[in-house]
Amino acid sequence: DAGVIQSPRHEVTEMGQEVTLRCKPISGHNSLFWYRQTMMRGLELLIYFNNNVPIDDSGMPEDRFSAKMPNASFSTLKIQPSEPRDSAVYFCASSQRGSPLHFGNGTRLTVT
Amino acid sequence: AQSVTQLDSQVPVFEEAPVELRCNYSSSVSVYLFWYVQYPNQGLQLLLKYLSGSTLVESINGFEAEFNKSQTSFHLRKPSVHISDTAEYFCAVQLYGQNFVFGPGTRLSVLP
């Protein structure tokens, strides 16, 4: 299995632009998680899905952030409009019930 | 609610010395326990896990962790560290079928 695949690997954008991060979970995994990692705040859970349904989005910073999972093999995290404080590494992870999380390699977002 | 505490944010240790990274959790019910390792510019990788059975679990690269239910701890140990063990280590818990909760991480620096 190729593991969790995230794209792009790096994203540099200007403040105010829309950013879309993509994730393909491991086939057969029914849970998908979006995390954000910064030096100041560490690893933060933004949102997670079970069977494509959002279960807990209390970690989403504000309305500028939205996440979707239209099917079992794809999810997006969108930031619109982006701000410099959104600069971070964004990780997607997937799991099956009772199994550990498998992380992607992350998307490093820089908003100037 | 579950929470995970890693009291040591940074642990410097000389090569070939033993190391212990501490992890305590709070939960009123049984949980699954995990240690993840993150090397620079990479995603988190599973190091070892405790789901049930023997309270002592081992990884393939010499780390071990012991689940102590009475102390709600899952400390990570290695009898002799290598330079290549330099990384950030995250303890995590999962309530059955629910979200994963991560600790703040411990940065292990192995010195020559």
Side-chain angles (χ1 to χ4, degrees):
Chain A
D1 198 319
V4 176
I5 300 173
Q6 290 187 247
S7 64
R9 192 80 169 86
H10 301 275
E11 176 80 43
V12 180
T13 190
E14 293 183 348
M15 182 175 65
Q17 297 298 307
E18 177 180 294
V19 174
T20 299
L21 311 182
R22 297 173 175 78
C23 176
K24 177 178 168 54
I26 292 174
S27 178
H29 283 191
N30 62 347
S31 296
L32 183 139
F33 302 75
W34 281 102
Y35 287 90
R36 177 172 69 176
Q37 187 177 40
T38 61
M39 289 292 291
M40 292 296 293
R41 302 170 72 96
L43 194 65
E44 303 174 277
L45 175 68
L46 300 177
I47 185 172
Y48 80 97
F49 297 82
N50 273 352
N51 298 315
N52 312 339
V53 176
I55 302 301
D56 183 358
D57 65 354
S58 59
M60 296 286 262
E62 47 199 274
D63 292 345
R64 298 184 297 108
F65 285 69
S66 62
K68 295 182 179 179
M69 193 165 185
N71 57 62
S73 59
F74 185 65
S75 177
T76 59
L77 177 68
K78 186 177 292 187
I79 308 173
Q80 165 65 17
S82 58
E83 296 182 3
R85 60 193 170 118
D86 301 330
S87 296
V89 181
Y90 290 81
F91 288 104
C92 177
S94 69
S95 75
Q96 221 171 348
R97 187 180 181 89
S99 76
L101 273 178
H102 296 257
F103 282 80
N105 285 325
T107 295
R108 182 175 296 276
L109 173 65
T110 303
V111 183
T112 60
Chain B
Q2 307 157 73
S3 68
V4 179
T5 303
Q6 292 180 250
L7 288 175
D8 306 306
S9 60
Q10 296 188 56
V11 173
V13 62
F14 287 106
E15 194 173 16
E16 297 183 3
V19 71
E20 178 180 81
L21 306 184
R22 295 179 291 170
C23 172
N24 289 87
Y25 67 94
S26 65
S27 176
S28 57
V29 297
S30 296
V31 295
Y32 296 139
L33 296 158
F34 308 88
W35 276 99
Y36 283 82
V37 59
Q38 185 180 29
Y39 299 104
N41 299 314
Q42 295 187 27
L44 280 72
Q45 304 170 32
L46 180 68
L47 187 60
L48 45 76
K49 62 186 178 186
Y50 171 78
L51 304 181
S52 64
S54 173
T55 57
L56 184 66
V57 290
E58 299 176 351
S59 72
I60 58 173
N61 57 353
F63 283 94
E64 64 179 29
E66 186 161 19
F67 169 54
N68 187 319
K69 187 174 183 179
S70 63
Q71 296 185 6
T72 59
S73 67
F74 192 54
H75 301 330
L76 182 69
R77 302 183 183 97
K78 188 169 184 178
S80 176
V81 293
H82 301 136
I83 296 286
S84 60
D85 293 324
T86 294
E88 187 142 20
Y89 292 79
F90 293 89
C91 182
V93 302
Q94 185 198 22
L95 183 60
Y96 296 151
Q98 300 298 320
N99 178 26
F100 290 75
V101 177
F102 283 83
T106 297
R107 185 172 299 277
L108 174 64
S109 299
V110 181
L111 310 171

